[in-house]
Amino acid sequence: GLPDWLGSFQNPDFPRHFAEYARAFAERYPWVHLFTPVNEIFITAMFSARYGWWNERLFTDDAFVRAIKHLCQANVLAMEAILKVRPTATFIQSESSEYFHAEDPECLAQCRFLNEKRFLPLDLTYGYPLSASMFEYLLGNGMKAEDYHWFAQHRVKANCIIGTDYYETNEHLVACDGGTSASGEIFGYYILCRQYFDRYRLPMMHTETNIVEPRSVAWLRKEWANMVRLKQDGIPIVGFTWYSLTDQVDWDTALREDAGRVNRLGLFDLDRKIRPVGELYRALIRQWQPLLSTDSIVLTLGY
């Protein structure tokens, strides 16, 4: 989100003001060295400017492109501002790891397009060369060529870790009419993490995952096993997060309804009573401590 006085992510002044805020934050809290300036840019832009759910509540490609341009600019300018105050800062670019599967061969072209589109926030943030289809898509929906070249001139990559968020809802089926629906887990975290690593060649972190109780224990075991296998296969995995520490409220509607429904997704319930998945998380830390301390894997809690 953003302050009401800025309006929405369609506002071209947002990146500059966000960078000012990021610098002020770094100056105020000198002990902080790990930063995620803008969390899940792809989801933020999609939910705000393509699905009509959050913030500006728009539904168009040109609104999505403006949102993602301004969010990525804010991300880059914030990193530059923080580095002026904290030269040793490390940035964890936390993004939703998505994949789109074709229902039949006629959907393959649309799948290829969507599977390129999912990379846009990281491509722009890191100045990664875009495919021709993505470049045409951006120019066709309001981005100027000089905007695109700005990212290549301002990229901050050496201080970065790729954060990949993975849920059961991150994989999608694409129909011939262009519509998408949830596919459930088909590839899983291992394959998607490899795709993001192969593209950017940066250290990786599993920055978000969960599933509602009573499936949470099995899901945590599976995600942890994926992460260990990736580490054994040479992928520089540096961290793992269960989101969140406590149960959530109304995330089953992405906060679009103020219904007060408790989502049993936390390591603890809202009365701070530990859930079975919390007990397992505690056990994983204890059991894997020798490996964690030598291989620099960090387990964290999402708040």
Side-chain angles (χ1 to χ4, degrees):
L2 71 173
D4 288 345
W5 59 269
L6 273 174
S8 74
F9 295 123
Q10 303 297 300
N11 187 345
D13 293 331
F14 165 67
R16 174 173 58 87
H17 289 302
F18 185 75
E20 293 168 352
Y21 167 76
R23 176 164 185 153
F25 182 95
E27 290 173 341
R28 187 181 183 93
Y29 303 107
W31 56 87
V32 178
H33 292 274
L34 300 173
F35 297 87
T36 300
V38 183
N39 181 61
E40 285 195 345
I41 292 174
F42 184 79
I43 293 297
T44 301
M46 288 293 288
F47 285 13
S48 300
R50 197 66 185 85
Y51 293 169
W53 291 357
W54 294 351
N55 299 294
E56 51 261 54
R57 299 186 181 183
L58 297 177
F59 303 85
T60 63
D61 283 316
D62 62 330
F64 169 79
V65 169
R66 275 194 302 275
I68 209 161
K69 178 183 74 171
H70 294 156
L71 286 161
C72 289
Q73 286 174 337
N75 198 34
V76 171
L77 290 175
M79 288 192 287
E80 291 179 346
I82 291 168
L83 285 171
K84 290 177 182 177
V85 178
R86 195 74 35 70
T88 59
T90 297
F91 303 102
I92 302 171
Q93 310 296 339
S94 184
E95 280 296 326
S96 177
S97 51
E98 307 280 326
Y99 195 84
F100 297 85
H101 304 274
E103 283 191 342
D104 67 50
E106 293 184 12
C107 311
L108 284 173
Q110 178 67 3
C111 277
R112 282 193 292 269
F113 173 81
L114 293 174
N115 281 321
E116 284 293 318
K117 185 179 179 182
R118 64 181 166 143
F119 290 126
L120 272 177
L122 294 172
D123 284 354
L124 293 175
T125 294
Y126 298 141
Y128 187 90
L130 296 181
S131 66
S133 60
M134 278 301 100
F135 188 61
E136 291 175 350
Y137 170 73
L138 294 179
L139 294 186
N141 287 283
M143 185 180 284
K144 298 178 180 178
E146 53 263 37
D147 294 329
Y148 168 67
H149 295 304
W150 181 92
F151 288 103
Q153 296 160 4
H154 287 262
R155 60 182 176 180
V156 180
K157 188 174 180 180
N159 302 71
C160 292
I161 294 169
I162 299 283
T164 44
D165 303 345
Y166 182 77
Y167 298 94
E168 192 177 39
T169 54
N170 283 43
E171 299 185 50
H172 317 270
L173 285 176
V174 179
C176 293
D177 63 1
T180 62
S181 59
S183 68
E185 184 179 29
I186 295 178
F187 282 172
Y189 181 69
Y190 183 95
I191 290 179
L192 269 61
C193 181
R194 292 291 307 236
Q195 291 178 346
Y196 282 77
F197 174 73
D198 289 343
R199 191 176 186 91
Y200 302 110
R201 312 301 292 185
L202 285 170
M204 305 292 295
M205 180 173 175
H206 194 343
T207 37
E208 282 187 29
T209 195
N210 68 37
I211 204 163
V212 70
E213 196 177 70
R215 298 174 61 198
S216 50
V217 168
W219 184 267
L220 174 55
R221 288 193 183 280
K222 175 182 62 65
E223 291 302 291
W224 179 256
N226 273 257
M227 197 187 71
V228 170
R229 183 68 257 172
L230 285 160
K231 187 79 171 176
Q232 291 173 331
D233 289 348
I235 306 301
I237 296 285
V238 299
F240 178 84
T241 303
W242 182 272
Y243 179 73
S244 53
L245 177 62
T246 63
D247 286 347
Q248 301 169 16
V249 179
D250 290 336
W251 267 107
D252 53 320
T253 59
L255 302 181
R256 289 173 292 149
E257 297 178 11
D258 186 11
R261 281 189 296 269
V262 175
N263 311 138
R264 297 182 300 170
L265 299 166
L267 299 177
F268 292 78
D269 65 21
L270 294 180
D271 293 321
R272 299 178 180 266
K273 180 180 179 182
I274 195 166
R275 291 195 176 279
V277 68
E279 297 283 7
L280 174 59
Y281 204 85
R282 177 183 288 166
L284 288 173
I285 295 171
R286 182 177 63 251
Q287 294 164 358
W288 290 84
Q289 189 61 44
L291 177 63
L292 303 183
S293 59
T294 56
D295 283 2
S296 300
I297 300 177
V298 179
L299 289 93
T300 63
L301 311 178
Y303 290 88

